[in-house]
């Protein structure tokens, strides 16, 4: 019997409009793999950057975007013993998540907590791994330290704020609107502010001198955050929202100008000021399964609330969901949901 699946696929990177729905055959399940009926798909800025060709890890030729999902185990390869049919899971994938069925290795799956929805499951792994790796592995976060989190109401930002609090640090969140600041305060983060220009002046006015900064914006905001760091301070960069493309494709002239104006850090000055800059791309963890498993285990040992899902779209509305994410107006996670009608 031939098994088919519904997917969103692009013929090649460069324009979001190339992403189109299609149906394809699913190969026979391998002995060491698990088959998943996908129930929800988490969206990430990496999806947009991959579709427009701005992501260094973008596959060559045709590909299916998507890095995380949740669903139900429907079949097991003969060699798989870690899961059983019917298990509710959440998983990560090196692209290929915009689908209603997929086969994967068991080491890329985690059981979904009993009280979590599929939408929350699809919102957990990538953003929490990003926040956890930035804060603990690179940022060396310590109890009592002040942590400045940019885009604090986004998927990664919210998880970072919660992790900081759980580890005894003092998160200070900056966002782009009063609505986002109100959300953060309703979740218990009183040190939440709307970014103002010039940002350097706002930091001075608020007397914010962080030990650690998490930034995925870039530009003047990033540079001002770096300058505000205490001695021994660390700036950890995990994205560059200032390069977010237009509704369909990048504005290459604007991107080139932003690239020329990007912050530049002098290592000799950093030695003198005793500050450091680090940056990373989480996609490389896909092949480091041992480290990924250890990081996920560490994450699971801290007590934080389930992810905040701010926007849900039907699987058939992938373009609307991507535009919602691209707009920069989102709070929490953007998720695609799958039903029998999709």
């Amino acid at each position: 019997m031939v098994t088919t699946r519904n997917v969103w696929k692009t013929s090649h990177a460069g324009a979001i409009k190339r992403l189109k729905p299609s149906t394809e055959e699913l190969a026979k399940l391998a002995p060491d793999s698990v088959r998943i009926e996908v129930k929800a798909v988490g969206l990430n800025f990496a999806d947009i950057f991959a579709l427009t060709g701005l992501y260094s890890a973008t596959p060559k030729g045709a590909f299916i975007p998507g890095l995380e999902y949740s669903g139900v185990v429907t079949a097991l390869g003969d060699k798989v013993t870690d899961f059983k049919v019917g298990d509710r899971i959440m998983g990560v994938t090196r692209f290929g998540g915009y689908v209603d069925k997929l086969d994967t290795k068991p080491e890329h799956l985690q059981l979904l907590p009993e009280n979590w929805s599929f939408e929350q499951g699809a919102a957990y792994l990538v953003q929490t791994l990003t926040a956890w790796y930035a804060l603990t592995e690179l940022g060396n976060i310590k109890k009592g330290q002040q942590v400045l989190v940019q885009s604090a109401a986004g998927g990664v930002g919210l998880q970072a704020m919660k992790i900081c609090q759980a580890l005894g640090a003092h998160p200070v969140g900056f966002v782009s609107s009063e609505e986002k600041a109100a959300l953060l305060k309703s979740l218990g983060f009183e040190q939440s502010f709307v970014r103002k220009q010039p940002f350097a002046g706002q930091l001075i006015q608020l007397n914010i001198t962080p030990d650690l900064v998490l930034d995925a914006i870039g530009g003047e905001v990033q540079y001002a955050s770096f300058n505000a760091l205490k001695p021994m301070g660390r700036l950890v960069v995990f994205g560059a929202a200032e390069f977010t493309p237009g509704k369909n494709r990048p504005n290459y002239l604007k991107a080139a100008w932003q690239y020329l104006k990007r912050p530049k850090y002098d290592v000799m000055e950093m030695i003198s000021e005793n500050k450091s800059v680090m940056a990373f791309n989480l996609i490389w963890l896909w092949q480091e399964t041992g480290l990924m498993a250890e990081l996920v285990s560490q994450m699971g040992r801290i007590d934080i609330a389930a992810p905040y899902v701010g926007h849900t779209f039907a699987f058939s509305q992938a373009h609307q969901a991507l535009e919602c994410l691209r707009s920069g107006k989102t709070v929490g996670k953007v998720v695609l949901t799958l039903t029998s009608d999709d």
Side-chain angles (χ1 to χ4, degrees), residues 14 26 46 65 70 77 84-85 89 129 140-141 175 245 261 265 280 327:
L26 196 58
S70 64
K84 64 181 185 298
V85 172
I89 57 82
L129 273 168
N140 194 29
I141 188 173
V175 292
K261 294 198 306 175
Y265 302 98
F280 71 100
S327 73

Side-chain angles (χ1 to χ4, degrees), residues 112-178:
L112 191 66
E114 289 185 8
N115 59 336
W116 283 19
S117 67
F118 286 114
E119 290 78 12
Q120 289 170 324
Y124 177 72
L125 284 172
V126 169
Q127 63 186 20
T128 313
L129 273 168
T130 301
W132 183 260
Y133 186 79
L135 289 167
T136 64
E137 292 288 308
L138 298 185
N140 194 29
I141 188 173
K142 302 294 185 185
K143 184 176 181 179
Q145 290 186 335
Q146 185 182 72
V147 183
L148 191 164
V149 180
Q150 297 290 2
S151 303
V156 174
L158 270 173
Q159 294 303 91
M161 296 288 281
K162 290 187 283 187
I163 291 169
C164 287
Q165 202 170 66
L167 296 178
H170 304 298
V172 180
F174 282 90
V175 292
S176 60
S177 71
E178 293 290 351

Side-chain angles (χ1 to χ4, degrees), residues 11 20 27 63 93 154 233 247 293 298 301 310:
S11 59
K20 303 204 179 281
F63 70 95
T93 178
K247 289 189 175 183
Q298 292 172 6
R301 293 196 288 269

Side-chain angles (χ1 to χ4, degrees), residues 205-271:
Q205 182 181 19
L206 293 172
N207 194 30
I208 293 174
T209 53
D211 300 279
L212 173 60
V213 171
L214 263 60
D215 178 67
I217 297 177
E220 182 270 334
V221 167
Q222 182 188 108
Y223 198 56
S225 302
F226 172 79
N227 288 335
L229 283 168
K230 294 176 183 174
M232 298 292 287
R234 293 86 64 201
L235 165 65
V236 181
V237 180
F238 61 92
E242 67 168 343
F243 290 97
T244 300
K247 289 189 175 183
N248 181 44
R249 63 174 67 243
N251 181 330
Y252 292 105
L253 186 60
K254 179 182 177 182
W257 177 242
Q258 288 172 323
Y259 182 77
L260 291 172
K261 294 198 306 175
R262 73 195 187 280
K264 301 177 180 67
Y265 302 98
D266 186 315
V267 67
M268 299 306 295
E269 289 182 4
M270 287 194 289
I271 291 172

Side-chain angles (χ1 to χ4, degrees), residues 263-300:
K264 301 177 180 67
Y265 302 98
D266 186 315
V267 67
M268 299 306 295
E269 289 182 4
M270 287 194 289
I271 291 172
S272 176
E273 296 178 1
N274 209 359
K275 300 178 182 180
S276 59
V277 178
M278 292 164 280
F280 71 100
N281 181 342
L282 194 70
I283 199 73
W284 72 273
L285 270 179
W286 173 253
Q287 295 178 330
E288 302 291 331
T289 54
L291 176 57
M292 182 185 289
E294 174 58 26
L295 292 172
V296 172
S297 176
Q298 292 172 6
M299 286 157 36

Side-chain angles (χ1 to χ4, degrees), residues 55-112:
Y55 193 33
S56 60
T58 301
K60 304 297 183 183
F63 70 95
I64 298 169
L67 304 178
E68 61 185 328
Y69 58 91
S70 64
V72 177
V73 174
T74 59
L76 302 171
D78 294 339
K79 296 181 180 180
V80 177
T81 58
D82 298 337
F83 296 92
K84 64 181 185 298
V85 172
D87 278 345
R88 300 167 73 248
I89 57 82
M90 51 189 176
V92 292
T93 178
R94 197 180 193 279
F95 302 103
Y98 285 30
V99 298
D100 65 358
K101 301 180 189 70
L102 63 78
D103 295 348
T104 188
K105 298 293 192 296
E107 55 263 33
H108 296 137
L109 299 173
Q110 298 289 321
L111 289 172
L112 191 66

